Amino acid sequence: MTNSTLLRIAQRLRPDLDTMDAPAQLRATVETIAAVVTAPFAVIALVWLVLVTDIAVFRENPGLFAVLLVALATMRQHYFTIFVERGDGDMIPITGTLSSIATWSMALLFGPTALWLSTLTIVLFTAQTAWQQSRRNQPMLWVALSMFNQEAGHSLLGSLSGLAAYRALGGSYPLDSLAWADWFPAIVAVIVSGIVLHVTSLPLLMLVNRGAGGEPNAFMRMWGILIGFSIVTEAPFAILAALIFARIGSGVFLLMIAGIMLANYMAFYLSRTTQRSNQRARELSRLEALGEALIQAPPDLSTLEALLNDYLPGMFPMDRFELRLFSPDDPAQQSEIPWPALRVIENPDRPPIADEDWKRLRAANQTHILLTNVSPPDVSITYG
């Protein structure tokens, strides 16, 4: 299925796609397709969760569930990214949090009712994202639907399937046995959960990968790595946390949850630091290549614009930047060099820089100006 096919499908649900520029149209198409493809899984998961919920569990442990809800919501605010190297040398980014460890430990203690904690964090995270979209005056309905359906349709359905396998294999709540044989149903539950999560997400991922022209074999290798990563990180620590609660008590259990939160934040911080370091290395590498190209270029500046268009894109992938070269104000200087007036813009879909600010920069004695309390057009967020 090509990009044009996905676009036609999305346009039937969102006629406003025709008014968007290319980058925004691509994002909106992916959001719409994701919301539609994952909707059946989300409905099944929510109905299933309601049917197996035991309200008495909440009444008996209100304080514990409140603390765990705060912990899960906090970890979901701090996603980290790690890179796993494939056999061909490529690096696969894996983004996530450690919140699933806390979720699974609670599920092994209190059953599927505990999954309402992760469901509520999904709702909170979706509402936060929708609010941020509204502040940017961007459509929030499809973004919210896409996020919620993917989270509920994949992770929640996977967890419920895993707990069903746990009960089918003779597992009981709470998990409090120290015998290896009694851990087997819990390990299988986590494995089933990971498989169901990724199998239900496979159709959507294949559509996006095929629409983007991705290589199928590389995609399947990445898919397998994701399954293995989720299983390895969840099963041992979730079982350990559940046993600590059952054998020692809630105090030590909450202390372990605090440790998981700290580890999650450290991973988030190190991930951000690594990404910034990689970005700086990329910038310096591109700047060095640009400098060498400028040295080799003819002195009449005839190739300057082409060189800038070749080397600047990709240097700041997440930001809009605009470069202008003005002709000298002194007529004598204009006659000495055929000075090209050029303008290079990267990420043009981002809010532009006002001409008045360029005039201020040319008139300033400093090499830069800092703008304060700036609200881009049609955006309610204030920058600076």
Side-chain angles (χ1 to χ4, degrees), residues 87-240:
D88 54 7
D90 289 342
M91 304 298 289
I92 298 177
I94 300 178
T95 301
T97 71
L98 299 180
S99 60
S100 59
I101 298 176
T103 300
W104 262 104
S105 63
M106 291 292 287
L108 293 174
L109 291 168
F110 300 102
T113 303
L115 296 179
W116 278 108
L117 292 175
S118 60
T119 305
L120 289 176
T121 59
I122 293 172
V123 173
L124 293 173
F125 190 68
T126 301
Q128 180 188 29
T129 304
W131 176 72
Q132 293 172 345
Q133 290 289 109
S134 66
R135 294 190 67 195
R136 296 184 176 91
N137 286 350
Q138 297 183 9
M140 62 179 183
L141 174 61
W142 286 100
V143 174
L145 282 176
S146 176
M147 290 187 58
F148 181 82
N149 288 351
Q150 288 185 71
E151 291 279 359
H154 300 329
S155 60
L156 180 57
L157 185 60
S159 299
L160 287 168
S161 301
L163 290 176
Y166 175 74
R167 292 291 288 169
L169 292 173
S172 60
Y173 309 118
L175 173 64
D176 58 358
S177 174
L178 298 178
W180 283 89
D182 294 328
W183 296 0
F184 176 73
I187 296 173
V188 172
V190 176
I191 294 174
V192 170
S193 172
I195 292 175
V196 171
L197 185 155
H198 290 90
V199 167
T200 54
S201 64
L202 187 60
L204 174 62
L205 295 177
M206 291 183 66
L207 279 175
V208 174
N209 182 70
R210 189 177 302 174
E215 200 271 315
N217 291 334
F219 168 77
M220 293 306 296
R221 285 196 297 270
M222 181 189 72
W223 185 70
I225 290 174
L226 289 175
I227 293 179
F229 178 80
S230 63
I231 292 172
V232 169
T233 56
E234 289 175 4
F237 298 102
I239 293 174
L240 175 62

Side-chain angles (χ1 to χ4, degrees), residues 25-359:
Q25 191 179 75
L26 178 60
R27 288 194 301 269
T29 300
V30 173
E31 291 165 359
T32 306
I33 296 300
V36 172
V37 171
T38 57
F41 299 122
V43 172
I44 293 172
L46 290 173
V47 172
W48 188 353
L49 181 59
V50 170
L51 293 176
V52 297
T53 297
D54 182 3
I55 301 297
V57 173
F58 291 118
R59 290 198 297 263
E60 295 169 0
N61 305 276
L64 179 63
F65 275 79
V67 172
L68 265 294
L69 179 61
V70 172
L72 292 178
T74 302
M75 284 189 277
R76 285 190 66 92
Q77 295 295 319
H78 298 91
Y79 278 85
F80 58 83
T81 301
I82 64 173
F83 292 87
V84 178
E85 185 175 359
R86 292 193 322 209
D88 54 7
D90 289 342
M91 304 298 289
I92 298 177
I94 300 178
T95 301
T97 71
L98 299 180
S99 60
S100 59
I101 298 176
T103 300
W104 262 104
S105 63
M106 291 292 287
L108 293 174
L109 291 168
F110 300 102
T113 303
L115 296 179
W116 278 108
L117 292 175
S118 60
T119 305
L120 289 176
T121 59
I122 293 172
V123 173
L124 293 173
F125 190 68
T126 301
Q128 180 188 29
T129 304
W131 176 72
Q132 293 172 345
Q133 290 289 109
S134 66
R135 294 190 67 195
R136 296 184 176 91
N137 286 350
Q138 297 183 9
M140 62 179 183
L141 174 61
W142 286 100
V143 174
L145 282 176
S146 176
M147 290 187 58
F148 181 82
N149 288 351
Q150 288 185 71
E151 291 279 359
H154 300 329
S155 60
L156 180 57
L157 185 60
S159 299
L160 287 168
S161 301
L163 290 176
Y166 175 74
R167 292 291 288 169
L169 292 173
S172 60
Y173 309 118
L175 173 64
D176 58 358
S177 174
L178 298 178
W180 283 89
D182 294 328
W183 296 0
F184 176 73
I187 296 173
V188 172
V190 176
I191 294 174
V192 170
S193 172
I195 292 175
V196 171
L197 185 155
H198 290 90
V199 167
T200 54
S201 64
L202 187 60
L204 174 62
L205 295 177
M206 291 183 66
L207 279 175
V208 174
N209 182 70
R210 189 177 302 174
E215 200 271 315
N217 291 334
F219 168 77
M220 293 306 296
R221 285 196 297 270
M222 181 189 72
W223 185 70
I225 290 174
L226 289 175
I227 293 179
F229 178 80
S230 63
I231 292 172
V232 169
T233 56
E234 289 175 4
F237 298 102
I239 293 174
L240 175 62
L243 291 174
I244 287 176
F245 181 94
R247 290 283 177 168
I248 303 178
S250 59
V252 179
F253 171 77
L254 291 177
L255 186 62
M256 181 176 180
I257 296 299
I260 294 173
M261 292 176 62
L262 179 60
N264 188 90
Y265 183 79
M266 291 179 61
F268 163 78
Y269 177 79
L270 293 175
S271 172
R272 292 284 298 271
T273 302
T274 301
Q275 291 175 6
R276 283 196 296 265
S277 298
N278 291 339
Q279 174 64 22
R280 296 297 175 266
R282 183 165 52 248
E283 293 170 7
L284 292 175
S285 175
R286 302 284 288 185
L287 282 173
E288 182 182 3
L290 175 59
E292 293 178 357
L294 290 174
I295 292 174
Q296 301 297 326
D300 60 359
L301 305 180
S302 59
T303 61
L304 178 59
E305 185 170 3
L307 289 175
L308 293 175
N309 280 311
D310 287 341
Y311 287 95
L312 290 183
M315 192 178 295
F316 311 101
M318 301 302 294
D319 301 313
R320 174 195 168 103
F321 69 85
E322 184 172 337
L323 187 149
R324 293 192 190 186
L325 182 61
F326 296 97
S327 298
D329 295 327
D330 187 354
Q333 292 179 332
Q334 296 181 16
S335 61
E336 293 175 1
I337 302 176
W339 200 278
L342 59 87
R343 183 178 181 183
V344 177
I345 301 176
E346 181 69 6
N347 291 330
D349 58 312
R350 302 291 179 88
I353 302 171
D355 289 336
E356 292 77 10
D357 296 326
W358 283 106
K359 294 178 182 178

